[in-house]
Structures are given as structure tokens and as C-alpha cells.
């Protein structure tokens, strides 16, 4: 029973061995991550079209819930850019930004995402993280980064009118770019953008040269956004720019910790948000698990992808019931947490407590934070998400992957997040099935008198005019069995000397019912033409299933050889060898 409890609540296992040395690393990491998270949380909340405090609320209870139920020791959970954009997209059709209905829908969406994660955990569907290919994710992320950049033009440039997410889709953009902007706001934004870029590039090396801070340089270098935020806030406050130049600031933020919220059980709202909740869950799950795996591998720690669903599920439920937005693992935040010395999820609990203290006592200090700085923080954070080099690399290596990535990118830009993502996933699956339905089939021959057999188009090999030896480099299933059958029958028809066909099954991991039926028909067709079908190197699990089938139980069942060498030794007695017979070329 104890084992089961520890498995469901992984925090129990690391709390048992917790000590003062471990706490030292967690304390440092918790403080540094909190410094990074405070401006990030407010910025990502604004990206989602929500008040800044919502992002801070989502940075208190969710990390604590994940700390108890998540399997990663150093994953930092909270609001992230892509999920925030998806939240804005989902809520744009439900209510207007700034209304109570919009805020209520955001809280409901958090709870729905939490439920979706818990369903994944209950059904142990961790394998879902493997079905979203890297090219599709890369195309989606790159397009989302551009949409995020578009969405931040309003606060960054101080536009007079409030533009919505849809206004920044490419087809609507031209009608909005002429809107008058605020020059002072734009100057502050550009100034902040330059400082943030310089901090990202050079701050770490500067800290490395300061002996007392040398060991903490990697973590402290990520606190640049907070320093830039403080500096810009002091400038706006000192010069009274909010009044004299109409520089938009955050304004009043409610003091105190978040109250418990009641989720609205509105069936119509659930139906509207359900598709978005599912997509946010899938994207958040894939992103979080990918980050958690990288961090776990660095310290040779175990990661349970199904337990991650439980951790993220309870984190999002906690966010919903405390008035926060949907959360998942953030890459930059998790890397900072890891490099700053975090040993366990106690670091996340410390971060949450510090943000709670900030909300309880220091929110008046946030009043004069210019919105343009939050926009600049987002713009710098998403700078690395547009991966052109990765797209070109995928296109060169595998054209199908490049097409899937490019199609996802274009679809997200022009048709919206949900449609674009569905297009990318669908195209990726279609291309996968198309490739699987056209498996690589190699006609092989013997390399000299050795026990090695290679493709006749790549090596100097010995073949026999009466023997067609094929290696199928794919498992056989309903989509590709007919392709194999047609390939063999065409070869047999073009070369009348063939009396034996040998299927080398070393790369076949499974044969489904449709493929088995095709093999049975193929054997009958070959037998009618006086040709015998043989198998070699059939794997144990495949052989176990074939041995119960009619294919190997009939009187004229194919002979199964243990190895290709043994098959050639027996079957070669029917004819004389040829060296690189040009008639075999595919």
C-alpha cells in the first residue's frame, strides 16, 4: 500500500530523504525562479487577454499541486506563451476581453484542461506524447510565435484602439497597422527590448567575472526581465509619463491571495470550450513531457509520463479553483530552476510562497509597470520559437516532414490555431501511412561466399536466376500488403526463370490479419504458376502467430528457414549463380 501511495504522490519519496543540503539548492532556485516568474506571469496573463494578477494566481497553487503529484524533480509549472495564446483564441469567441464572462470562461477552461489531463492519467494515455511529431510541433510553435508577436504590437506601440487576436491574423492585419501609436510608449518598448536582448546575451558572462556570483551566474542571468521591469517602472513613475504622455500602465492589482472560485457548470460553455481544452491539453502535455525528459536525463532521473498527466491535471484544477489560467511546464523557467540548483519540487513550493507574499504585500509597487515592457518581455521570450533552420533541415532530410511542418505553419497563420493544428496532425498521419504503404523492398544477393546478404543495387553480390530473394523493411499490415503482392507478381511475370521466392523477414515486427490473408492468396497464386514461397529469419513473436494460421498449416505451406544463409544454401542447388545480374535491378 505504501508503494502505491508513493507512486501516486511522488513527493513522498523525495520528502523521506530531504535534508539541509538539498534545501540549500532548492532555496536558491526557488528565489531565482520567482524573480523570473513574476514579470513572466503578468506578461503571459496579458497575452491571454486577462488581468495581470491572474497569471500570478496561476503561479501559486498549480506549482504546489504539481510538486505533490508530478514525477519530474525540476519541471517548473506556470503560465506559458503558447498556451496563453491558445487561451486568448479559445475565449475570443466566447466573450469580450475585460468582461466578467471572459474571466469566468478562462477559469472554467483551466478546470476543463485539468479534467482532460486527469482522464489521460486514468486511462494511462501517456503514449499521446509520441503521436504529435516534432515537425508538426515545430511548425505550430513557429506560427504561434508570429501570432504572439502580432498580438503584442498593440501594447508595445501604445495603439489607441484595443486590437483583438483576430485583428492580427494576416488577412486582417493591413487594415489595422495605420492605427495611431504612442511615440513615448514605443520608445520605452524599444529601449526595454534592447536591454532585454543585451541581458540575455551578455548578462551571464558579466556575472561570471564576479567571483561571489560565479556559481550562480547561470541562474541570475535570467533575472534580466525583472531588472528591466524595475528600471522602466521607475522611469514612468519618476517622469509621470502615465499622466503626461498617456503611457499605459498595469494599474491597480488586487492585494491578497486568490479566493476559491466556483466553476460555472454551463453546458453550452463546456461545449464551446471543449475542442480548445483538448488541444491545449495535448500541446501542454507534449511540451511539458519534452522539457521534463531533457531535465530528467541530465540527472539520470526517472520520468513517468502517465504520472505527469496526474501532476498537470491537479495543477490545472488548482489553477481553475483559485482563479488562474491554464498552466504547463515552461522551458525557460524550468531550465532556470534546474541550473540554479533545484534538487526537488520544494524549489517550486518556495517560488509559489514568494509569489504569494508578493501578492499579499507588494502589489501597490506594480501600479506603474508599463504594459509595453510586458510586451517586450514576451517578444524576447518567443524570439527562439521561430525555427527557420530547423525547417530547412527537416525539408532536406525528409521532404514529407518538411511538408508537414510547412503546412502546419501556414495553416495556423491563415486559418487559426485549432484548424492549423488539426491540418498539421492530419497531414502528418496521412504522410506516415502513405510511406508505410510503400515499404522499402530490397532484392538481395550473397556477398561472395559469406553469410552476408545485401541489396543488389548497392553491393557486388551473387544471385540466382531462379531465386527471387526479397527483404521487406517494414511490418506488414492492411495498407502495404497489396503493394508487396503486386511487387512480387510483377517481378515473377517479368522473369520466367523464377521458381522460388524467398521473403526475408528480419525487419518485420508484425503481420496483421489483412496481410496474412494477402500472403495466403499470394502463395496460392505462386503455386499455380509452379513457384514456391519461402520465409527466412522470421522473428519469434511473428512466428508464434503465423504458426497458428492456415498459411503454415496447409499441405503446401511455405518452408521457414532459420537464416537467409541456410535458405540460399538449400535453394541455390536448383541453378547456377550470377554476379550482379542486371535483370534483377529495381
Amino acid at each position: 500500500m505504501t508503494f502505491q501511495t508513493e507512486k501516486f504522490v511522488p513527493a513522498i519519496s523525495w520528502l523521506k530523504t530531504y535534508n539541509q543540503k538539498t534545501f540549500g539548492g532548492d532555496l536558491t532556485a526557488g528565489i531565482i525562479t520567482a524573480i523570473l516568474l513574476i514579470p513572466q506571469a503578468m506578461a503571459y496573463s496579458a497575452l491571454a487577454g486577462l488581468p495581470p494578477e491572474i497569471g500570478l494566481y496561476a503561479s501559486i497553487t498549480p506549482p504546489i499541486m504539481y510538486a505533490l503529484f508530478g514525477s519530474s524533480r525540476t519541471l517548473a509549472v506556470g503560465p506559458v506563451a503558447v498556451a496563453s495564446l491558445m487561451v486568448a483564441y479559445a475565449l475570443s469567441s466566447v466573450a469580450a476581453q475585460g468582461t466578467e464572462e471572459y474571466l469566468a470562461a478562462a477559469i472554467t477552461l483551466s478546470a476543463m484542461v485539468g479534467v482532460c489531463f486527469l482522464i489521460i492519467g486514468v486511462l494511462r494515455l501517456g503514449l499521446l506524447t509520441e503521436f504529435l511529431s516534432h515537425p508538426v510541433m515545430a511548425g505550430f510553435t513557429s506560427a504561434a510565435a508570429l501570432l504572439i508577436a502580432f498580438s503584442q504590437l498593440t501594447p508595445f506601440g501604445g495603439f489607441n484602439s484595443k486590437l483583438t487576436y483576430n485583428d492580427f491574423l494576416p488577412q486582417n492585419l493591413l487594415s489595422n497597422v495605420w492605427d495611431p501609436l504612442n511615440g513615448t510608449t514605443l520608445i520605452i518598448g524599444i529601449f526595454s527590448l534592447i536591454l532585454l536582448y543585451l541581458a540575455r546575451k551578455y548578462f551571464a558572462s558579466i556575472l561570471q567575472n564576479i567571483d561571489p556570483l560565479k556559481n550562480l551566474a547561470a541562474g541570475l542571468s535570467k533575472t534580466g526581465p525583472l531588472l528591466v521591469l524595475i528600471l522602466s517602472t521607475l522611469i514612468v513613475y519618476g517622469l509621470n509619463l502615465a499622466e503626461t504622455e498617456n503611457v499605459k500602465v498595469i494599474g491597480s492589482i488586487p492585494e491578497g491571495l486568490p479566493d476559491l472560485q466556483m466553476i460555472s457548470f454551463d453546458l453550452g460553455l463546456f461545449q464551446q470550450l471543449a475542442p480548445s481544452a483538448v488541444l491545449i491539453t495535448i500541446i501542454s502535455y507534449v511540451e511539458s513531457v519534452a522539457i521534463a525528459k531533457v531535465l530528467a536525463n541530465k540527472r539520470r532521473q526517472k520520468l513517468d509520463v502517465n504520472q505527469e498527466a496526474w501532476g498537470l491535471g491537479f495543477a490545472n484544477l488548482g489553477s481553475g479553483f483559485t482563479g488562474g489560467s491554464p498552466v504547463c511546464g515552461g522551458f525557460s523557467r524550468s531550465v532556470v530552476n534546474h541550473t540554479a540548483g533545484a534538487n526537488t519540487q520544494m524549489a517550486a513550493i518556495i517560488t509559489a510562497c514568494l509569489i504569494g507574499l508578493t501578492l499579499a504585500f507588494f502589489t501597490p509597487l506594480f501600479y506603474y509597470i508599463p504594459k509595453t515592457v510586458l510586451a517586450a518581455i514576451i517578444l524576447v521570450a518567443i524570439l527562439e520559437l521561430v525555427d527557420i533552420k530547423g525547417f530547412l533541415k527537416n525539408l532536406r532530410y525528409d521532404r514529407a516532414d518538411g511538408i508537414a511542418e510547412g503546412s502546419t505553419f501556414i495553416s495556423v497563420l491563415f486559418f487559426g490555431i485549432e484548424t492549423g493544428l488539426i491540418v498539421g496532425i492530419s497531414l502528418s498521419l496521412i504522410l506516415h501511412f502513405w510511406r508505410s504503404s510503400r515499404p522499402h523492398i530490397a532484392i538481395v544477393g550473397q556477398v561472395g561466399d559469406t553469410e552476408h546478404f545485401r541489396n543488389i543495387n548497392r553491393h557486388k553480390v551473387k544471385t540466382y536466376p531462379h531465386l527471387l530473394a526479397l527483404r521487406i523493411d517494414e511490418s506488414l499490415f492492411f495498407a502495404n500488403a497489396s503493394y508487396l503482392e503486386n511487387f512480387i507478381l510483377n517481378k515473377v511475370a517479368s522473369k520466367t526463370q523464377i521458381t522460388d521466392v524467398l521473403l526475408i523477414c528480419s525487419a518485420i515486427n508484425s503481420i496483421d490479419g489483412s496481410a496474412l490473408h494477402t500472403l495466403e492468396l499470394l502463395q496460392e497464386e505462386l503455386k499455380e504458376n509452379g513457384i514456391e514461397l519461402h520465409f527466412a529469419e522470421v522473428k519469434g513473436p511473428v512466428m508464434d502467430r503465423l504458426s497458428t494460421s492456415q498459411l503454415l498449416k496447409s499441405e503446401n505451406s511455405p518452408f521457414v528457414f532459420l537464416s537467409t544463409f541456410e535458405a540460399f544454401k538449400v535453394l541455390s542447388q536448383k541453378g547456377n549463380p550470377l554476379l550482379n545480374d542486371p535483370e534483377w535491378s529495381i
Side-chain angles (χ1 to χ4, degrees), residues 220-236:
L220 289 175
S221 65
K222 306 300 181 181
T223 61
L226 182 64
L227 298 178
V228 173
L229 185 143
I230 292 172
L231 178 61
S232 61
T233 301
L234 290 174
I235 291 173
V236 171

Side-chain angles (χ1 to χ4, degrees), residues 41-57:
M42 292 190 291
Y44 293 152
S45 186
L47 175 59
L50 297 165
E53 67 269 16
I54 301 302
L56 296 173
Y57 293 165

Side-chain angles (χ1 to χ4, degrees), residues 234-274:
L234 290 174
I235 291 173
V236 171
Y237 174 73
L239 299 178
N240 196 25
L241 297 179
E243 298 294 333
T244 60
E245 298 295 333
N246 196 29
V247 174
K248 293 183 173 62
V249 296
I250 285 180
S252 298
I253 293 180
E255 290 187 66
L257 297 175
D259 298 324
L260 285 176
Q261 302 288 328
M262 290 299 295
I263 304 300
S264 173
F265 289 93
D266 183 340
L267 183 59
L269 182 62
F270 287 167
Q271 290 175 338
Q272 279 184 283
L273 295 178

Side-chain angles (χ1 to χ4, degrees), residues 120 123-132 285-286 289 293 305-306:
I120 291 174
L123 300 179
R124 301 186 65 80
L125 296 177
L127 53 86
L128 282 175
T129 60
E130 309 296 334
F131 280 90
L132 204 56
Y285 194 25
V286 172
V289 169
K293 281 182 178 179
V305 294
N306 290 305

Side-chain angles (χ1 to χ4, degrees), residues 35-104:
I35 293 172
L36 170 69
L37 182 54
I38 289 171
Q40 261 193 5
M42 292 190 291
Y44 293 152
S45 186
L47 175 59
L50 297 165
E53 67 269 16
I54 301 302
L56 296 173
Y57 293 165
S59 304
I60 300 175
T61 304
I64 296 174
M65 297 299 288
Y66 179 83
L68 296 175
F69 297 98
S71 65
S72 172
R73 294 289 182 94
T74 53
L75 184 71
V77 170
V80 298
V82 174
S84 297
L85 178 67
M86 295 181 74
V87 169
Y89 178 82
L91 301 183
S92 62
S93 60
V94 174
Q97 288 187 15
T99 62
E100 291 185 6
E101 290 79 10
Y102 191 92
L103 181 58

Side-chain angles (χ1 to χ4, degrees), residues 45-352:
S45 186
L47 175 59
L50 297 165
E53 67 269 16
I54 301 302
L56 296 173
Y57 293 165
S59 304
I60 300 175
T61 304
I64 296 174
M65 297 299 288
Y66 179 83
L68 296 175
F69 297 98
S71 65
S72 172
R73 294 289 182 94
T74 53
L75 184 71
V77 170
V80 298
V82 174
S84 297
L85 178 67
M86 295 181 74
V87 169
Y89 178 82
L91 301 183
S92 62
S93 60
V94 174
Q97 288 187 15
T99 62
E100 291 185 6
E101 290 79 10
Y102 191 92
L103 181 58
I107 295 170
T108 301
L109 183 59
S110 296
M112 291 177 68
V113 170
V115 171
C116 289
F117 270 119
L118 294 184
I119 291 173
I120 291 174
V122 169
L123 300 179
R124 301 186 65 80
L125 296 177
L127 53 86
L128 282 175
T129 60
E130 309 296 334
F131 280 90
L132 204 56
S133 69
H134 173 72
V136 169
M137 274 297 294
F140 167 76
T141 305
S142 295
L146 288 181
L147 292 178
I148 290 170
F150 287 140
S151 72
Q152 294 309 294
L153 292 180
T154 296
F156 185 76
F159 283 91
N160 289 337
S161 60
K162 187 176 182 63
L163 302 180
T164 66
Y165 164 82
N166 289 325
D167 292 321
F168 286 103
L169 290 174
Q171 61 266 34
N172 300 327
L173 185 60
L174 290 177
S175 61
N176 300 318
V177 294
W178 305 111
D179 190 74
L181 52 81
N182 185 298
T184 305
T185 299
L186 182 62
I187 291 172
I188 295 172
I190 294 173
F191 175 69
S192 301
L193 201 63
I194 293 171
L195 288 180
L196 287 166
Y197 177 76
L198 293 175
R200 170 175 283 208
K201 195 168 184 180
Y202 301 111
F203 198 20
S205 58
I206 293 172
L207 293 173
Q208 284 281 358
N209 296 322
I210 303 174
D211 288 335
L213 302 177
K214 193 171 184 179
N215 294 331
L216 298 175
L220 289 175
S221 65
K222 306 300 181 181
T223 61
L226 182 64
L227 298 178
V228 173
L229 185 143
I230 292 172
L231 178 61
S232 61
T233 301
L234 290 174
I235 291 173
V236 171
Y237 174 73
L239 299 178
N240 196 25
L241 297 179
E243 298 294 333
T244 60
E245 298 295 333
N246 196 29
V247 174
K248 293 183 173 62
V249 296
I250 285 180
S252 298
I253 293 180
E255 290 187 66
L257 297 175
D259 298 324
L260 285 176
Q261 302 288 328
M262 290 299 295
I263 304 300
S264 173
F265 289 93
D266 183 340
L267 183 59
L269 182 62
F270 287 167
Q271 290 175 338
Q272 279 184 283
L273 295 178
S276 297
V278 172
L279 286 177
I280 291 172
T281 300
I282 294 173
I283 294 297
S284 300
Y285 194 25
V286 172
E287 185 178 352
S288 299
V289 169
I291 298 165
K293 281 182 178 179
V294 171
L295 298 179
N297 289 337
K298 287 185 177 181
R299 294 186 180 175
R300 298 187 178 182
Q301 296 171 342
K302 292 182 179 179
L303 185 78
D304 185 340
V305 294
N306 290 305
Q307 188 62 38
E308 285 301 287
W310 285 104
L312 292 167
F314 284 118
N316 278 282
L317 279 180
S319 186
F321 282 103
T322 55
S325 54
V327 298
C328 67
F331 181 75
S332 61
R333 192 182 312 131
S334 297
V335 170
V336 169
N337 191 45
H338 182 274
T339 55
N343 297 304
T344 69
Q345 283 293 331
M346 182 61 72
I349 295 174
I350 292 170
T351 297

Side-chain angles (χ1 to χ4, degrees), residues 416-433:
I417 288 176
E418 293 179 3
T419 303
L421 194 55
I422 291 171
V423 167
I425 294 173
S426 301
L427 185 58
S428 182
L429 291 174
I430 289 170
L431 289 171
H432 169 72
F433 277 112

Side-chain angles (χ1 to χ4, degrees), residues 523-586:
Q523 192 227 357
E524 292 177 6
E525 290 180 78
L526 293 176
K527 197 68 178 176
E528 289 175 0
N529 289 282
I531 301 171
E532 293 187 18
L533 178 65
H534 312 276
F535 294 94
E537 300 187 30
V538 181
K539 293 184 177 180
V542 178
M543 190 63 194
D544 290 342
R545 298 187 67 181
L546 288 179
S547 61
T548 62
S549 69
Q550 193 62 34
L551 179 66
L552 297 186
K553 282 186 174 181
S554 63
E555 293 182 8
N556 300 318
S557 62
F559 191 83
V560 181
F561 293 94
L562 184 63
S563 68
T564 306
F565 179 71
E566 180 187 346
F568 262 69
K569 190 164 61 174
V570 173
L571 299 175
S572 64
Q573 298 174 10
K574 295 184 180 182
N576 297 318
L578 295 172
L579 191 61
N580 278 54
D581 183 0
E583 291 187 27
W584 279 132
S585 297
I586 298 177

